[in-house]
Amino acid sequence: MDAERAKVAELEANHRALSLELANAKSLELDKRRELVSASDEIEKLRMKHAREIMELEMEVKSKAREAREVADELRLAKGDLDRERDNVSNLKATLSHQSTSHITLNAQINALQVQKAATQMQLDTAMTIISDKTLELETAQRRILDLEQDARDSEMVRRKLHNMVQELKGNIRVFCRVRPVLTSDLSPSSSFTSSPTPDHDEEKGRAADISFPDNRDHKEIVVSSSSSSAMGSERKEVYNFGFDRVFEPESTQAEVFEEISLLAQSCVDGYNVCIFAYGQTGSGKSFTMEGGSTEAMTGMIPRAVNQVFKAADDLKSKGWEYKMDGQFLEIYNETINDLLGKGEFDKKKHEIKHDKSGTRVTDVNVMPLPSPASVTSLLRVANSRRTVAATLMNERSSRSHSVFTLRISGTNIHTGESCEGSLNLVDLAGSERLNSSGAAGDKDRLKETQNINKSLSALGDVVAALGEKGEKGEKHIPYRNSKLTYLLQNSLSGNSKTLMILNLSPLAAHLNESLCSLRFATKVNNTMIGTAKKQVRGSS
């Protein structure tokens, strides 16, 4: 028992020792496990640190590789730059060699230019001497030019006086006679408007009158012959001689007619009033003479005179004259003044004629500035489209009114201060024929027109007759107011103007009686002395 107790005690002691050892073992195991866990954590940390270090090393390797590549690129670029610099150095060496050669050449050129400069300086000194001499000559020439310009202005004044004297010697009222040629229309049966032609008229239709021009040198005479049968059956022949300042035969051109009157245009520029009017029976060529035809050779007296005025004014610009021009265009129809440049189809205004010291003016009419001859052509076109025309027995298209174109010109000389004012009146009178010749007796309107035309032309004849008597007997009343025509032309007929009448004649035997009436009237006008035209000039203020 004791043994068993001892054995049990021994076993219990072993058990306790084993339990203690087990507890110690467990405690040691726990410590080891803690150490294991701690070691594992440390190993994990080391692993992570190692991984980071590896990653950093890899990144560093990549960075080093990139830097190596950049360095390689820079090295390659440096090698390229080095090659280029080597080339540049080679080029610079070549350029330096060339420049050295050029330098030597330039030095040679500089030496040559210095020699040339010395020679040029000598030439310059010579030229300056010549310029000095020329300047002195120029000053002398300029003084001479001023003297010559003054002489030219003085000569221009003398020319104007002499020109005026020539015109005065030719007479204040000059008369030209112009016979138109026989036209194709004169031979056509349709050109006659006679409703009941007579045998005599048929016999004379288209036949030229017996007109001759004996003065082959001065062209101042016209002879008209007519023959008729007496009651006894014998032939009676009559010869009429007329003399004028100039007679133009049918072959005469517009240029030849204007050549004789072109000096009057110069008078207008010189400050005189000029009046040119066409007179004659219907169909004698008045409108053709004054206005012209469709070609340049047929240009009439109005456009030619205007062109001459513009040319004369332009020629005087070099002498210091500056001109301003304007124009108006009137017609007198049935003793009523119409403005052919007015607005609308008909001019309904009442116009009055006023005379004063400055000349003749008509109230409420359009006065158009005329900067060039082309503007006059346009003005004439407008006026002609508004003029009153109608057919008569004497002419298919007959002007039934008097037309008056007035060109006013004012000039100033910028050197002398002198100024002048002139005017150019170009008048196309209505056709003059007796009632039985015009065929107007059966038409009330045409009858009134013909009566007024003949009344105004008769008044013109009375004025001319009175002017002639005034010249012979002294003071005498002049009936200007008997007609709008004579009142409008008062200054042109009273001695304040240089006046020219162009008598137009028909060459036909059928118009012979009217032609003789026109020739007798023109002779009366040609024998009339109206005094000396006055120049409208104002001196410098």
Side-chain angles (χ1 to χ4, degrees), residues 98-273:
H98 178 70
Q99 292 298 329
S100 297
T101 305
S102 299
H103 178 67
I104 296 172
T105 304
L106 287 174
N107 284 333
Q109 291 178 352
I110 288 171
N111 293 331
L113 287 173
Q114 287 177 344
V115 174
Q116 186 177 354
K117 177 185 175 183
T120 303
Q121 185 62 42
M122 294 180 62
Q123 292 178 357
L124 179 62
D125 293 339
T126 305
M128 291 299 295
T129 304
I130 295 174
I131 288 173
S132 178
D133 295 339
K134 293 298 181 182
T135 301
L136 183 61
E137 292 179 5
L138 178 61
E139 292 175 353
T140 304
Q142 287 177 339
R143 288 194 295 269
R144 176 61 177 163
I145 288 172
L146 292 175
D147 293 339
L148 290 175
E149 287 179 346
Q150 184 60 43
D151 291 343
R153 286 192 288 270
D154 295 341
S155 299
E156 174 63 19
M157 296 297 296
V158 173
R159 183 201 63 77
R160 292 184 176 208
K161 291 178 181 178
L162 293 175
H163 170 72
N164 186 51
M165 290 175 60
V166 170
Q167 294 301 307
E168 288 178 358
L169 290 173
K170 290 183 176 180
N172 296 112
I173 296 187
R174 302 170 63 199
V175 178
F176 290 170
C177 176
R178 184 183 193 184
V179 181
R180 72 165 175 84
V182 178
L183 306 176
T184 305
S185 58
D186 294 330
L187 307 177
S188 172
S190 60
S191 65
S192 175
F193 285 79
T194 308
S195 58
S196 55
T198 63
D200 291 339
H201 181 88
D202 287 338
E203 183 180 346
E204 294 180 344
K205 178 62 185 173
R207 183 169 60 86
D210 186 1
I211 301 176
S212 60
F213 307 93
D215 186 0
N216 295 323
R217 185 169 65 91
D218 295 329
H219 303 283
K220 292 187 176 183
E221 295 181 16
I222 180 173
V223 177
V224 179
S225 302
S226 67
S227 59
S228 60
S229 299
S230 64
M232 302 299 294
S234 60
E235 183 179 5
R236 181 178 60 187
K237 189 171 185 178
E238 295 177 300
V239 178
Y240 305 92
N241 293 277
F242 298 94
F244 301 105
D245 294 282
R246 185 69 161 81
V247 175
F248 295 97
E249 301 179 21
E251 298 79 15
S252 299
T253 63
Q254 296 279 70
E256 292 172 344
V257 176
F258 182 72
E259 183 180 358
E260 291 293 324
I261 67 176
S262 60
L263 290 179
L264 290 174
Q266 180 66 54
S267 294
C268 173
V269 177
D270 290 345
Y272 290 89
N273 291 331

Side-chain angles (χ1 to χ4, degrees), residues 401-434:
S401 63
H402 311 296
S403 72
V404 182
F405 169 74
T406 301
L407 173 69
R408 293 190 179 92
I409 177 169
S410 58
T412 303
N413 191 305
I414 59 177
H415 298 309
T416 64
E418 181 185 4
S419 62
C420 65
E421 295 180 356
S423 66
L424 176 64
N425 294 290
L426 300 167
V427 186
D428 183 4
L429 298 176
S432 63
E433 64 267 350
R434 291 166 292 179

Side-chain angles (χ1 to χ4, degrees), residues 231-337:
M232 302 299 294
S234 60
E235 183 179 5
R236 181 178 60 187
K237 189 171 185 178
E238 295 177 300
V239 178
Y240 305 92
N241 293 277
F242 298 94
F244 301 105
D245 294 282
R246 185 69 161 81
V247 175
F248 295 97
E249 301 179 21
E251 298 79 15
S252 299
T253 63
Q254 296 279 70
E256 292 172 344
V257 176
F258 182 72
E259 183 180 358
E260 291 293 324
I261 67 176
S262 60
L263 290 179
L264 290 174
Q266 180 66 54
S267 294
C268 173
V269 177
D270 290 345
Y272 290 89
N273 291 331
V274 175
C275 179
I276 302 174
F277 61 95
Y279 179 88
Q281 68 201 76
T282 299
S284 59
K286 298 186 303 299
S287 296
F288 175 79
T289 297
M290 298 302 287
E291 298 170 14
S294 57
T295 66
E296 183 177 354
M298 294 182 179
T299 302
M301 300 305 108
I302 293 179
R304 286 179 187 269
V306 170
N307 285 333
Q308 180 71 15
V309 168
F310 274 95
K311 181 179 181 300
D314 190 60
D315 291 340
L316 290 175
K317 284 183 179 179
S318 60
K319 296 180 176 62
W321 283 95
E322 295 180 353
Y323 289 93
K324 176 184 177 183
M325 304 182 198
D326 52 45
Q328 68 181 34
F329 211 139
L330 308 176
E331 78 165 353
I332 301 176
Y333 176 66
N334 284 343
E335 286 300 297
T336 301
I337 296 177

Side-chain angles (χ1 to χ4, degrees), residues 195 393 435-436 438-448 450-451:
S195 58
L393 293 180
L435 285 175
N436 58 350
S438 66
D443 187 320
K444 183 178 179 181
D445 293 335
R446 297 288 86 80
L447 175 62
K448 181 180 178 181
T450 304
Q451 288 174 337

Side-chain angles (χ1 to χ4, degrees), residues 352-388:
E352 296 182 358
I353 301 171
K354 303 288 186 181
H355 296 292
D356 52 33
K357 293 181 179 179
S358 61
T360 302
R361 62 183 181 87
V362 181
T363 61
D364 291 329
V365 297
N366 287 284
V367 179
M368 310 295 289
L370 302 175
S372 66
S375 60
V376 179
T377 303
S378 177
L379 180 148
L380 293 176
R381 190 180 301 113
V382 172
N384 287 336
S385 67
R386 298 166 59 91
R387 190 176 178 193
T388 304

